[in-house]
Amino acid sequence: MTKKIENHPIEDVFGDEICEGDTYFVFGNETVLQSNLKQYLIEKQQVQCYEAI
């Protein structure tokens, strides 16, 4: 479920601007744009990423 928020953060943990219409996630005090989610999970949360072949 996605909530629309008027007073959203200005940027995510990677310094990318959050604009109207962008989807972002909040992990504790860290905000992550949807486009940066994979990078965040790998770099900041040490989540293993796999590609099926």
Side-chain angles (χ1 to χ4, degrees):
M1 182 172 148
T2 302
K3 281 183 9 180
K4 294 190 180 214
I5 306 259
E6 281 187 38
N7 190 13
H8 60 76
I10 296 171
E11 62 183 34
D12 78 348
V13 295
F14 296 107
D16 292 337
E17 182 180 8
I18 298 174
C19 300
E20 183 179 334
D22 285 346
T23 298
Y24 63 92
F25 300 89
V26 177
F27 297 92
N29 294 325
E30 298 182 307
T31 303
V32 183
L33 277 167
Q34 183 174 11
S35 59
N36 290 334
L37 186 57
K38 180 178 174 182
Q39 179 183 358
Y40 173 80
L41 291 173
I42 293 169
E43 291 182 15
K44 306 283 187 180
Q45 298 296 324
Q46 289 75 48
V47 172
Q48 294 290 319
C49 181
Y50 301 94
E51 180 178 341
I53 54 173

